[in-house]
Amino acid sequence: MKLPLQGITVVALEQAVAAPFATRQLADLGARVIKIERPGRGDFAREYDQRANGLSAYFVWVNRGKESVVLDLREAPDRALLDRMLARADVFIQNLGPGAAVRLGLAGGVLRAGHPRLITCDVSGYGSVGPYRDKKAYDLLVQCEAGLVSITGTPDSPARPGISIADIAGGMYAYSGILSALYERERTGEGSELSVSLFDALAEWMGQPYFAEAYGGVPLSRSGARHPTISPYGHYRCGDGALVFLSVQNDREWVALCEKVLEQPGLARDRRFADIPSRRAHDEELTSVIEDQFRLHTADDVLVLLEAAGIAHARLRTVAEFADHPQLAARDRWRDFETPVGPLRGLLPPVEVTGREAAMGAVPALGAHTAAIRAEFPEDGPDGDA
């Protein structure tokens, strides 16, 4: 069966993570994604590391299923080639530095004036206006400006989340915006001019902390791996030294934890732990009670008790343990895909469509498709200059 975006062509003047993450989702759904890279070293994400058998783990992650074309857009012939590609494209996405697309004549409004069916998407750090318009916007820096780092980490030290969450947020909003624009074009025949900033994307994800602090009257504090407003919700040490995570989010679960796991039914009526706010206010005392009981058991035994009591729980897995997760194996989620250094293993995209599977195309070598693209879009072709 055809994939949903088969027949859609995306031209991506992209780099780093945010825009490439968006276009990789489109490629997985069958879109043709032509990635424009600068001469020499290409997308600088290719050099972030060499941990994926000599390739950048970042680049491998977000560039599967694309065609790589090297163009120098300061040179008239290459700029003209890009114009010919855009004349046949459905989507153009770019995340160059502030003002670069405008200087190249690639602003969304300019392109759509000549190509009204084209969908354009600009991905920026902080948007096109305002005092931060021209600031460089690397992932951790956007996290800081959005307040995320202030509530992440321990009481003694802020911390960066372990993934590029601002880039991912921006990329996913670009992806969903493009999908909605494609749907709208089917009804109206008109493209759209989209813009997404990493700051706005992450600001949306900061909604719950904002409401909790703005209207709760008390600044949020960093709570490590514990939940900042719910207790018990976090990690607890067992008799073998291992950590078990659990979450209790209602009174029924609280009673079950007291009776079936902690073997202290009277604790459910303790006024210190009468409701979620009370339990959070006395979290240190509650932690001592829970860990005193857990010290009598190994982590495996505690997990059995929690499962039997219907209490949500988890193991603290390493990345290597995640890669061997039995749930992923049971659901056959891993696939091999091609790269310039041979096959690598990756996960299928999260959305499953019955009867169809994501494309999982190859990661391109720098400029691997340049010659083919030049032949496909010649100067004297239907969209050429002659």
Side-chain angles (χ1 to χ4, degrees):
M1 300 180 75
K2 284 189 174 182
L3 291 170
L5 296 186
Q6 202 160 330
I8 296 296
T9 297
V10 179
V11 175
L13 189 53
E14 60 181 22
Q15 58 192 357
V17 175
F21 188 63
T23 57
R24 199 218 75 193
Q25 316 302 316
L26 300 172
D28 284 341
L29 290 176
R32 180 188 188 188
V33 178
I34 304 173
K35 180 183 180 76
I36 309 300
E37 300 194 64
R38 62 176 58 85
R41 295 181 174 178
D43 182 346
F44 56 81
R46 288 183 179 272
E47 298 182 339
Y48 276 170
D49 61 67
Q50 296 180 334
R51 302 190 64 158
N53 286 355
L55 300 178
S56 163
Y58 276 98
F59 191 85
V60 165
W61 167 46
V62 297
N63 287 288
R64 189 176 65 223
K66 303 179 184 180
E67 300 172 32
S68 172
V69 179
V70 172
L71 297 181
D72 185 346
L73 298 182
R74 296 168 298 182
E75 299 293 333
D78 282 4
R79 181 64 179 78
L81 173 57
L82 177 60
D83 288 338
R84 296 194 294 275
M85 294 164 62
L86 291 173
R88 292 195 236 166
D90 299 282
V91 178
F92 172 68
I93 182 171
Q94 67 85 19
N95 69 328
L96 300 179
V102 173
R103 292 191 295 272
L104 288 167
L106 295 172
V110 172
L111 293 177
R112 292 203 60 253
H115 310 295
R117 284 181 54 81
L118 183 65
I119 294 162
T120 66
C121 182
D122 297 333
V123 180
S124 67
Y126 295 99
S128 60
V129 298
Y132 277 47
R133 175 188 64 186
D134 295 326
K135 288 183 73 71
K136 289 186 176 181
Y138 299 129
D139 181 85
L140 176 59
L141 309 184
V142 177
Q143 291 184 37
C144 290
E145 292 289 348
L148 176 59
V149 176
S150 76
I151 58 171
T152 306
T154 67
D156 297 327
S157 178
R160 173 193 178 274
I163 57 176
S164 301
I165 197 165
D167 286 326
I168 294 169
M172 289 307 292
Y173 281 115
Y175 166 57
S176 60
I178 290 168
L179 292 181
S180 67
L182 285 167
Y183 177 73
E184 183 181 39
R185 194 181 69 173
E186 287 299 304
R187 293 182 289 113
T188 68
E190 290 289 317
S192 301
E193 183 179 349
L194 312 176
S195 61
V196 176
S197 86
L198 306 190
F199 183 72
D200 289 347
L202 200 54
E204 165 65 21
W205 288 12
M206 287 292 291
Q208 181 274 326
Y210 159 73
F211 286 114
E213 183 167 313
Y215 297 99
V218 179
L220 295 177
S221 59
R222 294 186 294 270
S223 54
R226 300 290 175 93
H227 196 283
T229 58
I230 300 174
S231 181
Y233 194 160
H235 56 88
Y236 302 90
R237 194 166 298 280
C238 302
D240 56 0
L243 296 177
V244 165
F245 280 68
L246 65 87
S247 174
V248 170
Q249 299 198 21
N250 56 58
D251 288 339
R252 177 185 55 78
E253 292 175 348
W254 169 241
V255 171
L257 179 72
C258 295
E259 293 180 350
K260 300 178 181 180
V261 180
L262 302 180
E263 299 179 355
Q264 300 181 51
L267 195 64
R269 298 183 296 275
D270 191 312
R271 293 182 61 183
R272 296 172 298 170
F273 312 130
D275 53 28
I276 290 176
S278 299
R279 291 194 286 273
R280 187 66 189 87
H282 296 91
D283 183 69
E284 289 188 12
E285 298 164 71
L286 181 53
T287 296
S288 294
V289 171
I290 293 173
E291 290 191 336
D292 283 346
Q293 184 65 24
F294 281 12
R295 285 192 191 96
L296 305 176
H297 307 279
T298 66
D300 285 343
D301 291 338
V302 169
L303 291 170
V304 170
L305 292 170
L306 293 169
E307 182 72 22
I311 304 298
H313 59 276
R315 296 179 182 272
L316 178 59
R317 295 181 185 269
T318 65
V319 175
E321 289 169 332
F322 148 75
D324 290 330
H325 202 292
Q327 187 69 4
L328 295 175
R331 297 177 59 237
D332 192 27
R333 299 292 297 161
W334 293 102
R335 294 291 184 276
D336 287 344
F337 59 92
E338 292 301 319
T339 79
V341 296
L344 296 178
R345 187 178 73 144
L347 287 166
L348 287 165
V351 176
E352 296 181 288
V353 181
T354 300
R356 286 181 281 185
E357 188 170 293
M360 299 285 283
V363 175
L366 177 61
H369 303 85
T370 303
I373 290 294
R374 291 191 186 280
E376 183 179 352
F377 297 90
E379 290 186 16
D380 57 351
D383 303 299
D385 303 319

